[in-house]
Amino acid sequence: MYKQRILFLLIPFLLFYALPVSAVKKEENKWHEELVYYLEIDRFNNGDVTNDGSDFNLNDPLGYHGGDLKGITNKLDYLQEMGFSTIILSPVFNAKDPTGEQVENFKEVDEHFGSLKDMQQLTKEAHEREMKVLMSFNAYHVQYLKDDLIDVVSWWVSESEIDGYYIDKVDTLEPDFWKLFIQTVKKENENLYLVGSILHNAHLSAYKELGFDSILNELFFKTSSETFTDVDLPFTSISEVVKNSSTAFSNYLDMTNTARFTLKATENAQHPGVRLKMALSYMYSTPGTPIVYYGTEIALNGGKPPENKPLMNFQSDEELIDYIAKLAKARKSLPSLTKGDYTVLYEKAGMIIFKRTYKGESVIVAMNNTSQSQNVSIPAEEIGNEKELRGLIIGDIFHEENRHYPFILDRETAEIYEIKEKTGLNLPFISVFLIVPLLFVVFLVVAYKRGKRNEE
């Protein structure tokens, strides 16, 4: 009887451990840990020339340029090497145009892009690389489809095992619809990511509260294009945007419906590659999920849509590509860059130093977005006494001096610093370089003396 009572008491605990974790507690949303690359399918890479079609025309900004799903699959390693963990596909549906605005069938792949089998292969190979794939559609263009939208969305998840959706202009449909939509879709797959953009940049938090995993931060886009497309401009506006933002938002420099960041930099007579380095450094080191528009890594230029969607060029200089990879490595290795708070230590006319802290880990980011070298001293109490600051991008290393940390940066450069305990002299390492040569000299002397004795 006693054993039966004990067993009865243990049943709830046994059931708890027998259930999968997702059944006990919903998995924590980790969209803020993603690094996202938005792809224009038709303009990225041509992996199968047999589906180009008779309307293939590289000279027509509104025509088909040959990019397809196989082309994306062939470049997954390229994207992964830059550190991207998620790709968002432009609309893949059967449509009358490459942008997917004139959709004819939401359950068919546009023949210019390949087939459903190609889509399945893309998601399969992405998942093998631990990368996620999101499909996209424009909410404004599905209002004749609203009643069937949940069925379409669920069908694609089932058929191609995608990881979520990017939904453009979500505020063109009423909030009550999205509330029902999200509840229904998440019931089928609670780990499905749903990311949206707002047409009128209003009530971002309200749409997040409806259940979207993230909303695009248009204010970040506007202020970053003002701040980073030129030099010697204050960080005041964009820093205020970041302070009032959160990890719930996604940040971007340009997007499918905007002119290219590089265009404004060029208009300001600035080197677009350098300007992008500064803007990306800030975006990768502040709260919010970075979304990079295709071609940013080669400073692809373009005006307002459709001129903002030129064909990708994979023969370009890799300097910016390598720089993005370094930023990605830093962001992934330091949780404070994704989850930490944001505290400005210094800001003046294009020079900013800020600190991000999360669970005892702190990171310092210094950016010199001016036309001259800068030397800024920060009191030790703001960072920590007797610490060593190790740069992860340029590789600079320095220590506290006279209870201050001297930040010396060349013009138009940025650095992300780990804060480490001061190492001092590495005596064991140094001793190796002293002892080994000494032993070698002793060996030569002994050998010489033995040789002399043998001669005698």
Side-chain angles (χ1 to χ4, degrees), residues 1-14:
M1 186 68 178
Y2 176 77
K3 290 182 178 179
Q4 289 177 336
R5 288 179 180 175
I6 293 295
L7 182 61
F8 181 77
L9 291 172
L10 287 174
I11 285 176
F13 298 97
L14 293 172

Side-chain angles (χ1 to χ4, degrees), residues 155-224:
W155 185 86
W156 277 104
V157 172
S158 173
E159 290 296 320
S160 61
E161 297 185 352
I162 58 171
D163 303 284
Y165 285 92
Y166 165 69
I167 306 170
D168 196 17
K169 300 179 178 63
V170 296
D171 54 335
T172 58
L173 292 177
E174 59 274 13
D176 286 343
F177 167 76
W178 290 122
K179 188 174 182 179
L180 175 62
F181 172 87
I182 293 169
Q183 287 176 349
T184 306
V185 170
K186 290 278 189 176
K187 191 178 294 183
E188 294 185 25
N189 184 350
E190 64 181 3
N191 296 321
L192 201 69
Y193 282 125
L194 295 174
V195 181
S197 71
I198 306 294
L199 178 62
H200 302 294
N201 193 39
H203 310 298
L204 296 185
S205 298
Y207 282 90
K208 179 67 175 65
E209 291 169 4
L210 288 174
F212 282 95
D213 294 293
S214 185
I215 297 293
L216 264 61
N217 192 348
E218 187 179 1
L219 282 177
F220 183 94
F221 154 69
K222 289 181 176 179
T223 51
S224 63

Side-chain angles (χ1 to χ4, degrees), residues 68-311:
D68 48 39
L69 296 171
K70 283 186 178 179
I72 297 171
T73 303
N74 294 341
K75 290 294 182 179
L76 285 177
D77 288 340
Y78 165 83
L79 297 173
Q80 188 179 41
E81 286 167 4
M82 282 189 286
F84 293 108
S85 57
T86 294
I87 59 174
I88 299 177
L89 305 177
S90 61
V92 71
F93 317 114
N94 183 3
K96 295 181 180 179
D97 64 307
T99 63
E101 293 184 0
Q102 304 176 52
V103 178
E104 294 187 314
N105 192 326
F106 279 92
K107 288 187 177 181
E108 288 181 0
V109 172
D110 190 303
E111 61 182 7
H112 297 84
F113 304 153
S115 64
L116 177 60
K117 185 177 179 180
D118 295 327
M119 183 67 191
Q120 292 167 338
Q121 185 65 24
L122 170 58
T123 54
K124 176 180 178 292
E125 294 201 25
H127 292 164
E128 288 173 355
R129 293 166 174 79
E130 297 185 348
M131 298 174 71
K132 299 176 179 65
V133 179
L134 272 63
M135 290 178 63
S136 64
F137 62 86
N138 190 324
Y140 181 76
H141 296 122
V142 299
Q143 293 192 47
Y144 59 98
L145 186 70
K146 192 166 62 173
D147 294 339
D148 299 321
L149 187 57
I150 293 175
D151 173 62
V152 169
V153 166
S154 300
W155 185 86
W156 277 104
V157 172
S158 173
E159 290 296 320
S160 61
E161 297 185 352
I162 58 171
D163 303 284
Y165 285 92
Y166 165 69
I167 306 170
D168 196 17
K169 300 179 178 63
V170 296
D171 54 335
T172 58
L173 292 177
E174 59 274 13
D176 286 343
F177 167 76
W178 290 122
K179 188 174 182 179
L180 175 62
F181 172 87
I182 293 169
Q183 287 176 349
T184 306
V185 170
K186 290 278 189 176
K187 191 178 294 183
E188 294 185 25
N189 184 350
E190 64 181 3
N191 296 321
L192 201 69
Y193 282 125
L194 295 174
V195 181
S197 71
I198 306 294
L199 178 62
H200 302 294
N201 193 39
H203 310 298
L204 296 185
S205 298
Y207 282 90
K208 179 67 175 65
E209 291 169 4
L210 288 174
F212 282 95
D213 294 293
S214 185
I215 297 293
L216 264 61
N217 192 348
E218 187 179 1
L219 282 177
F220 183 94
F221 154 69
K222 289 181 176 179
T223 51
S224 63
S225 63
E226 294 168 359
T227 304
F228 294 110
T229 54
D230 211 337
V231 294
D232 298 318
L233 298 175
F235 278 85
T236 311
S237 297
I238 194 165
S239 194
E240 192 64 26
V241 169
V242 169
K243 286 178 183 177
N244 294 324
S245 300
S246 72
T247 57
F249 298 135
S250 294
N251 299 325
Y252 63 105
L253 303 177
D254 46 22
M255 200 54 171
T256 183
N257 56 349
T258 74
R260 289 276 176 169
F261 175 94
T262 51
L263 177 66
K264 192 169 183 180
T266 303
E267 290 174 346
N268 291 334
Q270 297 292 324
H271 188 291
V274 176
R275 299 287 83 227
L276 276 168
K277 282 184 179 180
M278 297 303 295
L280 289 165
S281 296
Y282 192 75
M283 186 169 74
Y284 269 66
S285 58
T286 51
T289 304
I291 297 183
V292 176
Y293 193 40
Y294 90 101
T296 296
E297 72 273 24
I298 61 168
L300 200 62
N301 201 3
K304 294 181 180 180
E307 282 77 19
N308 66 333
K309 301 177 178 65
L311 193 63

Side-chain angles (χ1 to χ4, degrees), residues 324-339:
I324 291 174
K326 286 184 179 180
L327 290 175
K329 185 176 180 180
R331 186 174 175 95
K332 289 180 178 180
S333 63
L334 298 167
S336 53
L337 287 179
T338 57
K339 305 176 185 178

